[in-house]
Amino acid sequence: MNSTHHTVRQSFNRAAISYAATAKLQQIVADGVIAHVHHHLPSGFTGHLLDAGCGTGYCTRQLQSHYPNAFVVGLDFAEHMLRQLPPPMQPQSLQADIQQLPLADASIDYYVSSLAWQWCKPLAAAQEVCRVLRPDGQLTVATLTTDTFHELATCLQQVGLPSQAHILPFITPQHLETAFHEADLAVRTIRQETITTWHTDFRSLRHSIRGVGANHLPGGNTAPLTRAMRAALLNAYEALRTQQGLPLSYNVLIIDAHKKACAS
C-alpha cells in the first residue's frame, strides 16, 4: 500500500465513530443506489451481494434486510468502519481494497458500491468487478465526479489559492464510462445528479467533509493557510450564503451495468 492510500485509510479509521451521524449525504446516495438494486433484483434473490466500500454498513444492512436469503458481504479497507457493523454481520465482512478484492473469480452476482470509487483508480476497480462478477452479473456504482465542491474551488481561486492543492481531484463521467468499457462491463444506464448540502458556517461545512473521512487532500506537503488567507477564504465563502446557509455541492454519478457474458 502506498503512502497516499495509507493516509486515506487512516482518515476513514479516525472518522468511523462519527461517520454514521454526519454522513447524511452518503445515506441519500445509498438510498438511491439501493433503489436501483431493488429495480433489478426480486426480493427473493438468493445469490451473493457485495457492498464494496461499505463504510459503517448503512447500505449493507438495508440490502441484508431486503434480501434475507442472499449472502451479503460488506467490504471496506478501514477496519474501524467495519467494527461499526452489527455483530451478526461482522463475520461476513472483509477488510480489503476494492482494487484488490480477496474474492474468487466469478463469485459475486451483484456488486454494489456507494461513494467509494472516488478514492481509487476507476479502471483498476472496474477490472476487479469484472473478475469477481459471474457472467451477466450486475453492478450499481455511485461515485463523485468533476465539479464536486465547486463552490469551495471557486472561493479558493478567488483568494489566489490553487484548488487542486486543497480539493480531491474528481474524474469526469466520460472517464468512468470509458473505464467500464475497457473492463468489459456493459453500461445500461448512467445518471448524474447534483446534491447540495447547507451549513450554518464554514467550520460546520468543513466538518461535514472531515466527518466522513474525506479530509485527505492532494499535496500532503501543502503549506497550511495563513490567518490572512483563511480570513479571505471565509469572506469569499460568506458571499455565497443564502437563507439556507452556506452551500456545498456534490456531483453524484450512478451507473448501472452488467458483466458481458462473453467476458473472460
Side-chain angles (χ1 to χ4, degrees), residues 114-178:
S114 183
L115 296 187
W117 277 44
Q118 62 267 22
W119 302 104
C120 63
K121 296 177 180 178
L123 181 56
Q127 288 172 333
E128 275 295 86
V129 174
C130 189
R131 182 183 66 79
V132 302
L133 275 183
R134 291 174 178 153
D136 282 329
Q138 303 177 80
L139 67 149
T140 299
V141 171
T143 189
L144 300 177
T145 63
T146 44
D147 287 334
T148 291
F149 303 157
H150 70 83
E151 300 95 344
L152 181 56
T154 298
C155 290
L156 286 165
Q157 291 167 359
Q158 285 178 0
V159 300
L161 293 170
S163 60
Q164 64 271 20
H166 298 272
I167 298 176
L168 283 165
F170 297 104
I171 64 171
T172 65
Q174 294 76 18
H175 186 180
L176 191 60
E177 193 167 7
T178 297

Side-chain angles (χ1 to χ4, degrees), residues 49 58-73 88-89 92:
L49 269 165
Y58 178 83
C59 205
T60 320
R61 291 191 296 270
Q62 302 297 319
L63 291 170
Q64 187 67 84
S65 176
H66 194 82
Y67 301 106
N69 297 318
F71 189 83
V72 180
V73 178
M89 302 189 72
Q92 62 200 57

Side-chain angles (χ1 to χ4, degrees), residues 28-134:
I28 292 171
V29 175
D31 287 341
V33 168
I34 292 166
H36 278 246
V37 177
H38 292 347
H39 178 73
H40 296 296
L41 286 183
S43 58
F45 175 73
T46 59
H48 285 68
L49 269 165
L50 174 66
D51 182 7
C54 66
T56 56
Y58 178 83
C59 205
T60 320
R61 291 191 296 270
Q62 302 297 319
L63 291 170
Q64 187 67 84
S65 176
H66 194 82
Y67 301 106
N69 297 318
F71 189 83
V72 180
V73 178
L75 180 146
D76 201 276
F77 72 163
E79 61 271 20
H80 292 177
M81 287 287 183
L82 295 174
R83 291 174 189 169
Q84 306 304 311
L85 289 171
M89 302 189 72
Q90 291 187 13
Q92 62 200 57
S93 66
L94 294 172
Q95 182 193 348
D97 184 348
I98 61 177
Q99 298 170 112
Q100 295 178 309
L101 298 172
L103 298 168
D105 295 356
S107 60
I108 297 296
D109 296 286
Y110 207 116
Y111 176 106
V112 175
S113 186
S114 183
L115 296 187
W117 277 44
Q118 62 267 22
W119 302 104
C120 63
K121 296 177 180 178
L123 181 56
Q127 288 172 333
E128 275 295 86
V129 174
C130 189
R131 182 183 66 79
V132 302
L133 275 183
R134 291 174 178 153

